[in-house]
Amino acid sequence: MQTNRRNFLKAGLLTGAGVAAAPVLQSCRSTEKRNNMKPGDRLEFSFQPYELQLKHVFTLASSSRTTTPVMLTKIRFGDYVGYGEASMPPYLGESHETAAAFYRKLNLTQFNDPMRMEEIIDYVDNIAPGNHAAKCSIDIALHDLVGKMLDEPWYRLWGFSKEKAPSTSFTIGIDTPEVVKEKTREAAGFNILKIKLGRGTDREIIKAVRSVTDVPVCVDVNQGWEDKQEALDMVHFLNENGCVFVEQPMPKDQPDDVAWLTENSPLPIMADEAVQDLADMKKIYGVYSGVNIKLEKCGGLRHAHMMMNTARTLDMKVMIGCMTATSCAVTAGAQLSPFVDWADLDGNLLIKNDVFEGLKVEKGKIVLPDAPGIGIQKVSDIDI
């Protein structure tokens, strides 16, 4: 299976699969909005470091933390303002310092037409390699700005129906069985829970969750399992306990073992750490059942949309995920949620100090706002 699929990719499918994903805005440009663009208007960019305070200690297979650094960004064009965000958990390798250094290399004032999104985002992408989260914040702010100029939310510009937005999972971090039970009780009302595993107490954690609720779960192992047979045994246990899929069960540098696990697993095996951007799709095809796409990892909405179209072309499952973030980045990702199989968009629910209001979660289901752009309102007096 692996060889055939990889040869399939070499034939050129991957190269062209994402091309159609780029939004076509020409037909959306209303004369009224275009007339509001004054000849002297230029893009004006600003940013502000911010520290998110988490409601609980957030524990993964390899780390724990109580805060997450983010960069809040803003692009102004005439009377319009778009907001963006770069969430930078430590494993991404970005920080306030690296993001600020990257932003200082930019000159967005050279652009006098925000509608030329491809040109602007290509310019940002080519300033320096990496810096995906920093680039993501600019991409989000530009989408917010252009959506406001067009007076439409992005899910509508992409042709999606807000009624098709799925339920979002709610994340339960690794902890003692008693604390896991407490967190599970606090998550009452969600239709699916995302359980973090990978530290050797996996069965106890699942049993603790099941002692409190029978709602479906998915699990994120964060590369915590190393032996493929033990991983398969665990997947069968999870299947018997109402699990829907398993995310990144094994290290990303063990693709052959992961491919074997996917081939023999009764559950879909989703890639997370194994994929960052569109170029990585060729590495995971034939190895995983699907992909968890996060704006901060791939560089923003434009790249995420392209990755989703590629995954659909390759008949792979699609999930939209998030980091711990404000409602800015989470609501931006939610604009793509009607296109996915699963959503994990709870990052704003895990923090104490949100700066924005955006998407809502009602009876566990994502409710997309009708506001234009990415659909957020700033509710803090923090200056960006």
Side-chain angles (χ1 to χ4, degrees), residues 95-268:
S95 65
H96 286 154
E97 292 73 25
T98 63
F102 176 79
Y103 294 148
R104 293 189 185 105
K105 297 177 182 178
L106 299 175
N107 175 24
L108 294 187
T109 59
Q110 66 184 286
F111 296 103
N112 62 0
D113 185 353
M115 300 290 180
R116 294 163 66 175
M117 297 180 70
E118 296 292 312
E119 181 180 340
I120 297 167
I121 294 174
D122 281 344
Y123 162 75
V124 173
D125 282 346
N126 290 316
I127 285 293
N131 295 283
H132 288 84
K135 293 172 181 177
C136 167
S137 72
I138 301 169
D139 170 282
I140 292 174
L142 183 61
H143 278 81
D144 193 33
L145 175 71
V146 170
K148 288 172 178 174
M149 294 180 67
L150 297 173
D151 199 28
E152 291 284 1
W154 268 95
Y155 71 81
R156 191 172 293 144
L157 290 172
W158 278 319
F160 300 145
S161 169
K162 65 181 294 184
E163 287 74 25
K164 292 187 177 180
S167 294
T168 177
S169 55
F170 184 82
T171 303
I172 308 294
I174 296 173
D175 219 310
T176 65
E178 287 308 311
V179 174
V180 167
K181 290 178 184 179
E182 178 184 346
K183 292 180 179 179
T184 303
R185 294 187 187 100
E186 291 176 4
F190 285 85
N191 303 318
I192 182 169
L193 301 179
K194 182 175 182 176
I195 314 301
K196 295 287 188 177
L197 300 179
R199 280 200 171 181
T201 58
D202 299 342
R203 292 176 186 263
E204 290 83 354
I205 288 175
I206 295 300
K207 289 176 182 178
V209 171
R210 281 288 167 253
S211 71
V212 175
T213 182
D214 59 359
V215 301
V217 301
C218 56
V219 302
D220 185 1
V221 190
N222 291 115
Q223 308 182 84
W225 302 338
E226 296 184 357
D227 181 86
K228 65 181 183 180
Q229 185 58 60
E230 291 179 4
L232 182 60
D233 292 343
M234 190 65 200
V235 170
H236 281 291
F237 169 79
L238 292 168
N239 186 45
E240 294 165 0
N241 281 274
C243 185
V244 177
F245 64 83
V246 179
E247 184 178 339
Q248 201 61 58
M250 304 186 70
K252 63 183 181 180
D253 58 1
Q254 295 179 215
D256 290 340
D257 288 342
V258 177
W260 179 89
L261 179 63
T262 300
E263 190 76 32
N264 291 280
S265 171
L267 299 175

